[in-house]
Amino acid sequence: MALVNKIRERSGIAITIIAIALILFIVGGDLLGSRGLFGGKTQKVGEIAGNSILAQDFQKKLDQARVEYEAQSGQSANDQVLAQLREKVWNDLLIDYAYQKEFDALGLTLSDEEKTDMFFGKYIDPAVRQSFTDPQTGIFDKNRVLQQRKQIMAMPAGSIQQLGWQAFVRDIQRQHLMSRYVNLIRMSSYVTTAEAKKDYEGQTAKVDAKYLYVPFYSIADSTIKVTDSELKDYLNAHKDEYKGANTRSLDYVAFGVAPSKADSLALKNTLTQLAKDLAKSPNDSSFARMNSDVPHPLYWSLRDMDDQLKEAVAGFFPGQIAGPFRTDNTYTIYKYTGTKRDSLYTVKASHILIRPTNESDSAKASARVRAENILKELKGGADFAAMAAQNGSDGTAQRGGDLGYFQNNGSMVKPFETAVFGFNGTGLLPSVVETDFGYHIIKVTEAKNNLQYRIIAVSKQLGPSQATRDEVYRKADAFAAANKSLEDMEAAAKKDKSLVLLKANRIPEGSTNLNMMQNAQPVVRWAFDDKTDVGDVSQVFEVNDAYIVAALTGKTSEDEVKVDDFRDELTAKVRNERKAEEIMKKLGGLAGAGTLESIAQKYGAGALVESANDLTLTSGLLTSAGADPTALGKAFGMKPGQKSKPFKGEGGVFIMETLKKTPAPAIADYAQYKNTALQMELQRSGYFVNEAIRDNAKVKDYRAKFF
């Protein structure tokens, strides 16, 4: 955020920039087109299956997605939503260019009947069910889907409501195709009897072993010097294990912006003055609209009030100014001017729904008997919430049957509404209520009430003032100006203990986060800019309620894997290789020393002799070495009484001696193990299919340079 003083200082530059911008706007595409000033260089946000995704095309799809989102949600898309929409647009392009080829090759389509059924038929899509389920009752009614679709289709063609509905339909149909494709792949998975037998034996066959173990940590790391040449040789020999990725690493300082004491005092004074002005305002509702940071209704029912206001309103008198009441960082003052009676009543209730298992008369009779028995228990003093959680068969069960507030406006089915609003006071309804959904045991928790309270509310949110933001920005800007290198930043942080130098390592391309800090795209975009070199220090970035100054400390590339990309991991690997050579050389000279105990004694410090019984291949654990598949394999691969030569394991060097082997008992049927293995295969197949398709499409994602 630029400061007013800086704008004034640079006003000449600003005027020039504005003038150039106006010229470009007037001339338009003649300058910026394919033959314009920039030589027609096309900017791409990515490539999928040989298709270039142009920045302008991606932006058009993103704009459309935003319109569709706002049509569906009724809310403006904030930064977080925009980030999600960018991801959705990208995934849609993946489906269109990569997955659709697979769908077409297999002839996968959706019939007209299926498209209708998932919205209005017998097998409703979960997303449709969730979108059209009453949040108060947890009840889904397909008639609401039909009514809404009818209303939307009656609107002018191309309206935002129609765009939103079309996007909703398209996304659900696309998801069904994806699910069908993945399920088709899953159906092709199988496990042979030989594989099932191998799994069975791995879980059941057992071995008792004794072993000598010299862990790598018994040799100090400082005694093994690893050279860059060794690291490079190891990397070249294990290329398949170290895949490249486009990442960046940063060190950064975050200057947090929080309300100051002056801001709190200013808000207090503002609220005090607002309370005085509200009290004497001749048009208090207009005053509230002009001065409140949060919109509020003019008339409130009890369901509109939070607990603080609901408790206080009982003692209000006309003309009273109350507050401020605090909710998080929002402070609200209220002016109460009286009540009126509404044509609709509001009530709060809970219920326990008992559904019949089917539509038969006997099932309905059984459900009614069960509901009546529960009602008897409740009349005897049983806890309603506990009984609802135990017996309820709809979404309200998990919250003790609570339906919240509702009105007699048809939001509930007729028999339910008639019973509740025909009841006076609070407590259990005396009889079970039958509806099309089943049998309801109902408890009115707040009596019906049609009072509407005229309460004028003015809310103000406590936040950092512009002066506070400017002061923090000045500190961040001064820090960036004074520290032009990572070394400078480190020295400044050591000198000033209020500064904390944070690290964000291997940030993936396209990330929106900086550690736990969200909406950090500007910082990530700077880090991935081709002009940003390792060691560069950034300008000041505003991220949420903080100003960030960052230094680029490292780069990795998917096309060029370097030692520095995996230096710590490679160093540990090479160091352990060297330790293994040293240990095995020493143990090799002691191989004829007799028992494992005598070998360990002659080896000296670091050598352990341990025993382990009933080891299995799939879950065997050694006492000090833990799960070491190489050691387990050796134990199972030798005959009882055999002793191995020294060999390298995961965490050290072993000499393994097999004492006893218990083979898996023969069984006639491996179905149980075959089913278990198949389930694991099915769980993995969807992921592997997705990875294979994306690899085959040779996806290149450059979005981090744009968004």
Side-chain angles (χ1 to χ4, degrees):
M1 181 182 295
L3 300 174
V4 173
N5 288 340
K6 285 188 173 291
I7 293 174
R8 289 172 179 166
E9 291 169 5
R10 302 176 184 179
S11 58
I13 298 173
I15 291 170
T16 302
I17 292 172
I18 292 170
I20 293 172
L22 285 171
I23 293 171
L24 293 177
F25 174 76
I26 293 168
V27 178
D30 292 338
L31 285 178
L32 299 177
S34 60
R35 299 178 183 177
L37 294 175
F38 299 104
K41 182 180 179 181
T42 303
Q43 293 182 309
K44 295 190 297 186
V45 298
E47 296 176 15
I48 304 174
N51 297 279
S52 294
I53 314 301
L54 303 183
Q56 57 267 37
D57 294 337
F58 187 87
Q59 186 62 50
K60 286 179 183 177
K61 290 182 179 293
L62 179 59
D63 291 341
Q64 181 180 348
R66 180 174 60 187
V67 170
E68 293 167 350
Y69 165 82
E70 292 175 350
Q72 289 183 52
S73 67
Q75 300 176 347
S76 297
N78 57 27
D79 289 342
Q80 185 175 358
V81 170
L82 283 174
Q84 294 170 351
L85 291 177
R86 280 193 288 271
E87 194 64 25
K88 178 185 181 300
V89 169
W90 181 255
N91 288 331
D92 288 348
L93 288 168
L94 284 170
I95 293 175
D96 291 341
Y97 290 130
Y99 289 82
Q100 190 62 47
K101 291 180 179 179
E102 306 298 327
F103 301 162
D104 293 342
L106 293 171
L108 286 182
T109 59
L110 294 174
S111 66
D112 292 339
E113 291 79 7
E114 289 174 308
K115 292 176 181 178
T116 300
D117 187 75
M118 65 183 69
F119 285 88
F120 317 111
K122 185 176 181 181
Y123 301 103
I124 302 295
D125 182 88
V128 177
R129 188 175 293 277
Q130 180 181 359
S131 298
F132 291 91
T133 292
D134 190 317
Q136 297 294 331
T137 64
I139 295 172
F140 168 77
D141 184 357
K142 70 176 68 174
N143 290 323
R144 292 181 62 196
V145 190
L146 288 164
Q147 290 170 3
Q148 182 155 336
R149 180 183 179 277
K150 184 178 180 181
Q151 292 171 1
I152 291 173
M153 290 300 102
M155 294 178 179
S159 64
I160 59 172
Q161 290 85 356
Q162 284 195 6
L163 289 174
W165 175 260
Q166 289 165 5
F168 184 58
V169 171
R170 183 182 66 246
D171 289 344
I172 288 175
Q173 292 177 353
R174 181 178 274 158
Q175 186 57 47
H176 270 254
L177 270 179
M178 283 287 295
S179 297
R180 178 168 295 180
Y181 176 73
V182 172
N183 287 335
L184 187 62
I185 298 297
R186 286 175 174 168
M187 289 174 65
S188 68
S189 301
Y190 66 93
V191 174
T192 65
T193 301
E195 290 172 315
K197 181 180 179 182
K198 182 179 177 181
D199 285 347
Y200 163 70
E201 291 176 345
Q203 297 173 42
T204 311
K206 295 179 180 179
V207 69
D208 295 347
K210 190 176 184 180
Y211 53 92
L212 182 150
Y213 175 55
V214 183
F216 293 141
Y217 63 73
S218 65
I219 299 177
D221 288 351
S222 59
T223 64
I224 307 293
K225 304 300 181 184
V226 178
T227 66
D228 279 2
S229 177
E230 289 177 299
L231 296 178
K232 188 174 182 179
D233 289 344
Y234 187 91
L235 178 60
N236 289 335
H238 299 81
K239 286 182 178 179
D240 292 342
E241 299 176 29
Y242 297 93
K243 299 295 184 182
N246 294 325
T247 72
R248 299 292 184 267
S249 295
L250 300 170
D251 282 5
Y252 64 97
V253 176
F255 296 82
V257 182
S260 64
K261 291 182 179 180
D263 295 334
S264 297
L265 180 59
L267 179 62
K268 179 181 178 182
N269 294 336
T270 297
L271 289 168
T272 300
Q273 186 60 49
L274 283 171
K276 293 177 182 179
D277 294 342
L278 179 61
K280 61 185 181 183
S281 174
N283 192 338
D284 46 20
S285 59
S286 295
F287 179 88
R289 284 195 299 272
M290 293 176 60
N291 291 281
S292 182
D293 292 343
V294 179
H296 293 290
L298 180 59
Y299 284 93
W300 305 59
S301 66
L302 291 177
R303 70 173 182 171
D304 299 321
M305 302 179 188
D306 61 22
D307 291 340
Q308 289 185 93
L309 181 57
K310 195 184 302 181
E311 183 178 348
V313 75
F316 282 179
F317 56 85
Q320 178 181 353
I321 301 293
F325 293 88
R326 178 183 177 183
T327 303
D328 297 325
N329 281 335
T330 300
Y331 295 78
T332 306
I333 53 175
Y334 299 102
K335 180 181 179 180
Y336 172 66
T337 62
T339 59
K340 70 173 184 177
R341 295 287 177 179
D342 191 18
S343 59
L344 294 175
Y345 281 87
T346 299
V347 72
K348 188 178 184 183
S350 298
H351 82 145
I352 303 172
L353 173 62
I354 305 300
R355 298 182 192 268
T357 54
N358 55 58
E359 294 299 317
S360 67
D361 291 341
S362 60
K364 291 180 179 180
S366 176
R368 173 181 282 278
V369 169
R370 184 182 169 205
E372 289 174 344
N373 287 336
I374 292 171
L375 180 59
K376 288 179 183 178
E377 290 187 54
L378 292 169
K379 288 179 177 179
D383 181 81
F384 192 96
M387 293 294 283
Q390 182 179 351
N391 297 283
S393 56
D394 69 346
T396 66
Q398 59 190 0
R399 55 179 186 270
D402 184 17
L403 292 164
Y405 291 96
F406 54 92
Q407 294 182 308
N408 55 330
N409 57 1
S411 59
M412 298 295 184
V413 290
K414 190 65 176 177
F416 189 99
E417 185 176 280
T418 300
V420 171
F421 287 95
F423 183 79
N424 293 315
T426 60
L428 280 171
L429 268 64
S431 304
V432 169
V433 176
E434 181 181 0
T435 71
D436 290 340
F437 299 101
Y439 299 92
H440 306 258
I441 303 100
I442 304 171
K443 179 182 180 181
V444 175
T445 52
E446 286 190 25
K448 64 181 180 182
N449 187 323
N450 68 343
L451 273 182
Q452 292 280 307
Y453 297 82
R454 189 177 188 275
I455 301 174
I456 309 302
V458 178
S459 294
K460 285 293 180 184
Q461 295 174 329
L462 175 60
S465 64
Q466 190 59 50
T468 298
R469 289 184 174 278
D470 288 350
E471 179 59 30
V472 178
Y473 178 87
R474 271 190 286 271
K475 291 180 181 179
D477 193 38
F479 179 85
N483 301 284
K484 297 299 186 182
S485 68
L486 176 59
E487 292 76 15
D488 291 342
M489 290 177 62
E490 291 172 341
K494 287 181 180 179
K495 185 177 180 181
D496 186 348
K497 299 302 181 185
S498 67
L499 299 175
V500 179
L501 198 60
L502 303 170
K503 293 183 179 294
N505 293 322
R506 298 178 72 87
I507 303 168
E509 191 170 18
S511 175
T512 60
N513 292 354
L514 196 62
N515 291 333
M516 299 300 292
M517 187 179 294
Q518 297 181 342
N519 304 318
Q521 296 97 318
V523 185
V524 177
R525 206 158 46 237
W526 169 82
F528 277 92
D529 193 297
D530 293 337
K531 297 178 182 178
T532 304
D533 296 322
V534 173
D536 286 355
V537 175
S538 74
Q539 73 271 30
V540 178
F541 292 106
E542 183 177 6
V543 179
N544 303 332
D545 286 325
Y547 293 105
I548 304 294
V549 179
L552 188 65
T553 59
K555 293 183 178 183
T556 67
S557 170
E558 64 180 357
D559 299 321
E560 182 184 359
V561 181
K562 302 187 295 293
V563 166
D564 282 340
D565 298 348
F566 301 97
R567 178 169 290 275
D568 291 343
E569 185 178 346
L570 291 171
T571 299
K573 292 284 189 181
V574 172
R575 185 185 289 126
N576 285 344
E577 292 275 4
R578 293 265 302 276
K579 287 182 180 181
E581 291 173 5
E582 184 177 319
I583 295 169
M584 290 172 68
K585 183 178 179 181
K586 188 173 180 180
L587 284 176
L590 302 173
T595 64
L596 295 178
E597 287 82 1
S598 62
I599 295 174
Q601 186 177 6
K602 291 181 180 180
Y603 180 90
L608 307 172
V609 176
E610 298 174 339
S611 296
N613 297 327
D614 294 333
L615 294 170
T616 65
L617 270 175
T618 56
S619 58
L621 290 176
L622 304 178
T623 306
S624 297
D628 194 305
T630 305
L632 288 173
K634 284 284 186 182
F636 275 91
M638 296 187 300
K639 296 178 180 179
Q642 279 189 315
K643 184 167 60 178
S644 74
K645 294 180 180 180
F647 64 89
K648 176 181 173 291
E650 296 290 315
V653 175
F654 292 85
I655 298 177
M656 182 68 64
E657 183 178 352
T658 300
L659 303 178
K660 176 186 174 184
K661 294 178 73 172
T662 306
I667 58 175
D669 186 5
Y670 294 98
Q672 174 187 345
Y673 298 92
K674 184 179 289 189
N675 289 335
T676 301
L678 180 59
Q679 291 304 313
M680 293 180 64
E681 183 69 24
L682 293 176
Q683 291 173 9
R684 294 191 296 259
S685 59
Y687 170 79
F688 288 139
V689 167
N690 288 331
E691 289 300 301
I693 290 176
R694 295 184 184 218
D695 286 345
N696 187 57
K698 295 181 173 57
V699 176
K700 300 290 185 182
D701 187 352
Y702 310 130
R703 287 177 294 158
K705 300 180 186 296
F706 297 86
F707 302 104

